[in-house]
Amino acid sequence: MIRTALCLSLAVFVPHLRAASAPEAPLPADPMAVSIHHLPNGLTVYLSPYHQEPRITAWLAVRAGSKNDPNDSTGMAHYLEHMLFKGSTHLGTSDYDKERPLLERMSGLYEELFRTKDPAQRKTLYRKIDDFNVAASSFAIPNELDRLYSRLGFSGVNAFTSNERTVFTCDFPANRASSWARVESDRFSQPVFRLFPTEIETVYEEKNRSLDNAERILGEAADKLFWKSHPYGRTVLGAPEHLKNPSLAKMYDFYARNYVPGNMALVLSGDFDREVMLRLIEKHFQAWKPRARPPIAPTPLVRPKGEEKTEVRYEAEEKLTMSWLTVPNRHPDAPAIQVMDMIMDNSAAGIINLDLLQAQKVKSAGSYPELMNEAGAWTVWAVPKKDQTLEQAQALLREAIAKLKSGAFSESDISAVITDFEVSEKHRWESNESRAALMADSFIRQEPWPETVARLDRLRSVTKADVVRVANQYLGPDHTVAYRRQGKPELLSIAKPEFTKLDIKTDRQSRLFEDIVRATATPMTPRWLEPGRDYTVQKLPEGRLYVAANPVNDLFMLNWHFDLGMRQQRDLCAALSLVDLAGAGALSAEEFKKRLYALGTRLNTDCGDQTASVNLFGLEKNLWASLQLVSEHFQAPHIASDTLNKMVQVAIGAHADNKKDPGYIHYALAEFAQQGRESDVLTGYSDAELRALRESDLRASLRKLWGYQRDLVYAGTRPAGELARLVDAGRTRYLEPPARRNVSYLRPGKDKVFFVHRDMLQSKVGMSAGDEKLDQKHYVDYMVLSEYLGGDMSSLIFQEIREARALAYSASGGYSSAARKGDENRLWGDLGTQADKTREATVLLRDLL
């Protein structure tokens, strides 16, 4: 039976609650000015006012994830994440009193199903469950939460589950805080898990996706070997046998045990007054009844003994991981391990980055730490290049680790890593979402906020000796290795369930929906960007310079945007790839990358079909030094012998790997269906073209690029005039970019269907149809049509394919307006569905479009 105590109004408890306890006031050294409040019922509230835009990001963090799943019902935390979007006793239903007995009967049938092993009996129970689900659905209003939030201007309404957390996210206009508080307090105090059968099938579709995902397959095998019996080794999505055998009663038990105020936190960053927001939260959330959460004893860890190995087979590029047990996130050695990881892999100048990637000894490689509440792990990984074995790539990783353990790096490398941490933190403070994530992390880790604020200080205290010590202490002979080798995977045999299509009446609304929509909100006056006030545009010989102030911190962003790509300059992308592996003047590539990294500056290039860009990001005080380095990098690139040959061999190997990657195959097929021989895939480099590349030609291509006009975009603290002088290349004449090709799509006289066979649990289906050329007068029409088709969970495609029929986990579509005048718009749809649902789902998607 449904535990009806969860569905009772909690307003009766309001008179007995005290005001919130005295807040933990913002710390003087806290750039986010976070205050922490504890309501009498145990709910923790983090508030960080940030007035850069008139919106608020609000996350609800729960200290419950896959680690807390029952042993016989893995995937429960993730199930629950889905079900908490189904509404409450007030939202998502037209008449809960009539709906309730049907849901209770269905819950009882699920308990019979959970206990029954007989196939015939299970089939009978499924038919009965379907009957009650259809009956109950006559009162349900699917995705009313999303419909309501969309109407009020919310975005980012979503959730995610991991080992130790489930987090619910949203972002809303600042004048809708009252509506948010009212809906969320109702949503989590009185949830109703309606439309359970179709949602369970959706969750199973998500599981199918993971079983077709090469990275998930390797990661789950590696975790199972590494963590053994510890709950960290579980897959968040759950075991297949548990997904097909759910228990509603266990889900309500899980909710009652873990979703208690003392185990939850609200974190808000955005445009609000702290005291006003706190009063609003007290008004709506202090009615949540406090409940004790049973203590959960940590699970003992079973350490690896020697080198333990596992392997999986999949038709994808080969890959290996190596993992060592380290420490929990609040252990005194945690900062040294984080710095150690960056010494190995910081995406620019780490040991792996320079010794393996810059030297092109492997196709790709890296490292990452996992510091969780009970334990930690450190992992290195590598993808071998063409004609290289996994064992050879593993030997190269061992050499890099030996270099780390021997201390073959300097104190200045440590300083560069700390600068990188500082830049990253400052960048996080610019975004409401990143600020909310930082507060949620602190809560989940059970870390007092002063410790969170002092994180950079702890990192700054790490020395080279500390890094060498932890490397030698933790990276010993006891570790695990997981290999992904070429081969056919073993696919599960899954039958499509016989669910009756639900009749979704989109014109129904609950009383709560109507009340919230009718509620008045203070009108918000748009603040349009104005040239001269918010930004300046200056015409330079090389092109237009756009300058805007960074009002938040001392970081800069500088972008050079070129209106040309491979279509106009055939070898441009190869030239930019080569310069990414080059140094500057007398500086070798390694010296150049270390010097730029030490400045806290990041350099990225991008090259596509008809555009290219160069991007700089870092500390404002080091802009000029960075510009000098980067200028020499492009004007006099220091290219070591054999660099081009190695680059070509890696690219040819990537071509071979693409033919094994189901995601890339689907992308290539879609491009061919849309543009035929003009598709980006077929107009890219062939292996023969790659082999024919010459360094002298690529150098000439780089010089030619910088002779074209371009747009420059800068955000920072310098005035436009000063920035113009800094970027002046000393030339007076620049060429106009070559004419671009207008983008168009094939228009077959009748439907065409393209197939590629692949042994997978899911089919990936795409549809496309070209339409009119971009007409800016119709731009709002394009937006409305796209939102109607697939804008969110209340859209046509999502409702009909996923909610009403459970035919797919991913079902989307829309109307894409062209980026440039003269280009064509496109109607499109995509879905990923269990193989035996393909025909039904595909026909439905086509009909909807």
Side-chain angles (χ1 to χ4, degrees):
M1 299 291 287
I2 292 177
R3 293 178 176 266
T4 54
L6 291 174
C7 302
L8 297 176
S9 171
L10 302 180
V12 67
F13 297 103
V14 174
H16 307 293
L17 293 174
R18 308 180 308 276
S21 62
E24 298 175 21
L27 300 168
D30 181 8
M32 288 172 45
V34 173
S35 59
I36 302 173
H37 313 262
H38 302 280
L39 301 192
N41 59 11
L43 181 67
T44 304
V45 180
Y46 293 73
L47 298 178
S48 178
Y50 185 58
H51 305 290
Q52 287 304 306
E53 59 177 334
R55 296 187 68 86
I56 299 169
T57 294
W59 287 16
L60 177 65
V62 187
R63 289 174 178 153
S66 60
K67 183 182 77 173
N68 308 95
D69 288 342
N71 291 330
D72 60 354
S73 297
T74 58
M76 183 65 72
H78 178 248
Y79 274 168
L80 186 56
E81 173 208 311
H82 280 245
M83 296 312 299
L84 283 163
F85 284 85
K86 299 303 180 184
S88 66
T89 58
H90 302 118
L91 189 71
T93 181
S94 59
D95 193 332
Y96 181 63
D97 288 338
K98 293 180 181 178
E99 180 190 31
R100 176 177 170 177
L102 298 170
L103 295 177
E104 290 178 342
R105 185 68 184 97
M106 189 164 60
S107 180
L109 290 170
Y110 265 112
E111 293 317 296
E112 291 184 50
L113 185 71
F114 185 77
R115 295 188 296 268
T116 301
K117 304 301 180 185
D118 178 62
Q121 180 64 15
R122 290 179 64 82
K123 194 170 184 178
T124 299
L125 288 169
Y126 264 124
R127 283 198 298 268
K128 291 181 179 180
I129 287 171
D130 184 53
D131 290 341
F132 278 102
N133 191 46
V134 171
S137 72
S138 64
F139 304 104
I141 307 175
N143 286 317
E144 190 175 38
L145 174 75
D146 203 72
R147 286 169 53 197
L148 174 60
Y149 277 169
S150 295
R151 187 146 169 186
L152 299 179
F154 282 53
S155 62
V157 180
N158 213 327
F160 60 88
T161 304
S162 61
N163 295 95
E164 297 178 315
R165 71 184 71 192
T166 304
V167 179
F168 300 83
T169 68
C170 69
D171 180 272
F172 52 87
N175 65 340
R176 292 296 183 179
S178 180
S179 298
W180 162 81
R182 185 176 174 188
V183 172
E184 293 295 290
S185 61
D186 174 79
R187 173 188 179 189
F188 288 98
S189 65
Q190 306 178 81
V192 175
F193 302 155
R194 54 178 59 89
L195 302 174
F196 190 69
T198 49
E199 196 63 31
I200 286 299
E201 189 61 25
T202 295
V203 170
Y204 206 89
E205 284 284 5
E206 189 175 0
K207 179 66 177 182
N208 286 341
R209 283 163 60 91
S210 76
L211 296 173
D212 283 335
N213 184 305
E215 292 302 299
R216 295 289 289 265
I217 290 169
L218 178 63
E220 289 182 9
D223 283 345
K224 185 176 181 180
L225 175 66
F226 185 82
W227 296 111
K228 298 178 173 55
S229 59
H230 194 281
Y232 286 161
R234 294 173 180 163
T235 165
V236 171
L237 296 179
E241 62 271 22
H242 296 158
L243 293 173
K244 282 296 187 182
N245 200 33
S247 166
L248 260 171
K250 283 182 177 290
M251 181 173 289
Y252 275 102
D253 282 340
F254 186 96
Y255 180 85
R257 185 170 62 256
N258 294 288
Y259 281 65
V260 300
N263 202 42
M264 304 165 75
L266 290 173
V267 299
L268 287 86
S269 174
D271 188 20
F272 57 82
D273 176 273
R274 195 187 309 271
E275 296 304 319
V276 172
M277 180 59 73
L278 180 59
R279 288 197 297 271
L280 181 67
I281 289 172
E282 288 175 334
K283 175 183 176 182
H284 291 282
F285 291 93
Q286 69 178 359
W288 287 3
K289 184 179 179 181
R291 296 192 303 273
R293 186 191 189 212
I296 301 173
T299 305
L301 288 162
V302 179
R303 294 177 174 273
K305 293 181 180 179
E307 183 175 80
E308 299 179 2
K309 297 180 180 180
T310 188
E311 65 177 56
V312 295
R313 302 239 167 215
Y314 198 72
E315 294 179 281
E317 64 182 10
E318 295 193 326
K319 183 178 179 179
L320 75 112
T321 66
M322 302 171 65
S323 300
W324 285 262
L325 194 65
T326 59
V327 298
N329 52 46
R330 295 182 64 194
H331 189 280
D333 282 343
I337 287 172
Q338 290 175 286
V339 174
M340 177 195 79
D341 175 68
M342 292 286 279
I343 289 293
M344 281 293 280
D345 174 21
N346 52 53
S347 301
I351 294 173
I352 288 176
N353 310 125
L354 298 179
D355 288 12
L356 301 188
L357 300 182
Q358 172 63 39
Q360 300 185 88
K361 293 180 180 179
V362 294
K363 180 182 176 182
S364 55
S367 70
Y368 57 89
E370 291 179 280
L371 302 176
M372 294 179 284
N373 288 348
E374 292 186 30
W378 185 72
T379 299
V380 292
W381 60 271
V383 175
K385 61 183 182 180
K386 189 173 183 289
D387 299 326
Q388 186 180 53
T389 67
L390 285 167
E391 286 74 15
Q392 289 170 329
Q394 183 179 359
L396 292 169
L397 286 176
R398 291 191 186 282
E399 290 177 11
I401 293 168
K403 187 172 181 178
L404 168 74
K405 294 168 74 172
S406 70
F409 56 92
S410 65
E411 290 286 1
S412 61
D413 292 327
I414 300 284
S415 297
V417 164
I418 300 307
T419 299
D420 192 358
F421 277 126
E422 291 171 346
V423 170
S424 297
E425 285 297 286
K426 289 179 179 180
H427 189 49
R428 290 180 73 178
W429 300 333
E430 294 179 357
S431 157
N432 275 330
E433 184 175 14
S434 295
R435 294 158 69 96
L438 191 61
M439 292 183 280
D441 286 346
S442 182
F443 176 76
I444 297 298
R445 291 195 301 257
Q446 302 182 49
E447 179 180 79
W449 186 248
E451 285 187 28
T452 303
V453 173
R455 174 176 176 267
L456 279 176
D457 291 334
R458 293 194 297 276
L459 292 169
R460 292 186 187 104
S461 69
V462 174
T463 65
K464 176 182 174 179
D466 293 327
V467 172
V468 172
R469 176 182 60 79
V470 296
N472 284 278
Q473 179 176 343
Y474 297 106
L475 309 185
D478 299 333
H479 62 277
T480 60
V481 184
Y483 303 104
R484 184 176 67 224
R485 300 188 188 275
Q486 273 295 313
K488 293 276 188 180
E490 294 184 13
L491 300 181
L492 297 174
S493 178
I494 308 166
K496 183 180 75 168
E498 298 301 324
F499 284 136
T500 303
K501 175 191 175 296
L502 302 181
D503 184 15
I504 294 177
K505 294 182 172 64
T506 57
D507 58 340
R508 288 187 300 198
Q509 295 175 353
S510 67
R511 291 181 181 177
L512 180 58
F513 182 103
E514 293 172 351
D515 288 347
I516 296 291
V517 168
R518 282 198 302 263
T520 59
T522 304
M524 296 176 65
T525 303
R527 183 179 182 274
W528 306 108
L529 292 177
E530 292 184 9
R533 183 191 69 186
D534 299 298
Y535 66 94
T536 62
V537 184
Q538 185 174 348
K539 189 71 174 70
L540 303 179
E542 61 185 296
R544 291 168 297 188
L545 170 64
Y546 297 83
V547 174
N550 177 359
V552 180
N553 53 39
D554 61 346
L555 300 181
F556 77 87
M557 180 279 294
L558 180 59
N559 170 275
W560 291 264
H561 176 84
F562 299 86
D563 268 336
L564 72 157
M566 279 188 66
R567 296 275 183 175
Q568 293 79 19
Q569 193 168 316
R570 182 64 180 164
D571 59 1
L572 176 59
C573 293
L576 287 172
S577 294
L578 183 62
V579 82
D580 285 345
L581 298 166
L587 297 176
S588 68
E590 292 82 358
E591 292 168 332
F592 166 72
K593 289 187 174 182
K594 280 200 166 191
R595 190 167 297 185
L596 197 64
Y597 183 68
L599 293 171
T601 302
R602 301 170 191 175
L603 169 65
N604 294 295
T605 62
D606 184 64
C607 184
D609 191 45
Q610 301 196 86
T611 61
S613 64
V614 176
N615 310 287
L616 270 185
F617 171 78
L619 293 168
E620 186 70 68
K621 66 180 181 181
N622 293 331
L623 172 60
W624 175 239
S626 302
L627 279 173
Q628 288 179 304
L629 273 174
V630 169
S631 176
E632 193 165 16
H633 174 63
F634 282 102
Q635 291 178 15
H638 184 137
I639 303 172
S641 62
D642 208 32
T643 298
L644 176 59
N645 180 57
K646 291 178 179 178
M647 184 186 89
V648 166
Q649 293 308 310
V650 169
I652 290 173
H655 281 178
D657 286 336
N658 287 341
K659 295 174 184 178
K660 307 165 191 169
D661 180 351
Y664 191 88
I665 291 169
H666 181 63
Y667 162 71
L669 190 67
E671 283 290 296
F672 182 69
Q674 293 168 29
Q675 300 189 70
R677 303 300 305 179
E678 289 297 313
S679 80
D680 290 350
V681 174
L682 295 182
T683 57
Y685 299 116
S686 66
D687 288 354
E689 284 181 300
L690 286 168
R691 292 189 183 98
L693 292 172
R694 297 291 178 266
E695 184 181 315
S696 58
D697 295 336
L698 298 183
R699 286 179 178 271
S701 186
L702 276 178
R703 291 193 296 271
K704 188 176 180 182
L705 172 68
W706 291 98
Y708 284 115
Q709 289 187 336
R710 59 267 188 177
D711 287 337
L712 293 85
V713 181
Y714 164 83
T717 59
R718 299 172 190 263
E722 180 182 350
L723 200 280
R725 291 192 295 274
L726 289 179
V727 299
D728 183 9
R731 300 176 60 165
T732 57
R733 185 174 179 275
Y734 292 83
L735 300 174
E736 288 190 13
R740 66 185 299 276
R741 165 187 170 268
N742 286 335
V743 177
S744 60
Y745 301 99
L746 296 182
R747 296 173 180 271
K750 60 180 181 179
D751 288 352
K752 280 191 174 182
V753 182
F754 299 85
F755 288 97
V756 169
H757 174 75
R758 173 77 178 226
D759 290 331
M760 295 171 60
L761 292 172
Q762 284 210 327
S763 299
K764 295 173 69 67
V765 180
M767 296 185 185
S768 178
D771 198 39
E772 69 180 28
K773 291 185 177 181
L774 175 66
D775 184 343
Q776 292 184 335
K777 291 183 295 184
H778 295 165
Y779 191 73
V780 172
D781 301 327
Y782 305 154
M783 291 175 62
V784 171
L785 175 57
S786 194
E787 282 292 307
Y788 169 69
L789 289 171
D792 53 39
M793 289 188 288
S794 63
S795 63
L796 175 71
I797 289 172
F798 190 94
Q799 290 273 25
E800 291 294 331
I801 294 179
R802 176 166 157 173
E803 199 74 24
R805 297 170 175 84
L807 288 175
Y809 171 75
S810 62
S812 57
Y815 188 88
S816 295
S817 58
R820 299 287 189 98
K821 186 177 180 180
D823 292 351
E824 287 183 351
N825 304 330
R826 183 172 65 95
L827 182 71
W828 64 274
D830 272 307
L831 59 87
T833 184
Q834 190 169 296
D836 60 355
K837 301 178 184 177
T838 304
R839 179 186 176 90
E840 183 180 355
T842 302
V843 170
L844 176 58
L845 178 61
R846 186 203 180 283
D847 289 347
L848 294 174
L849 291 177

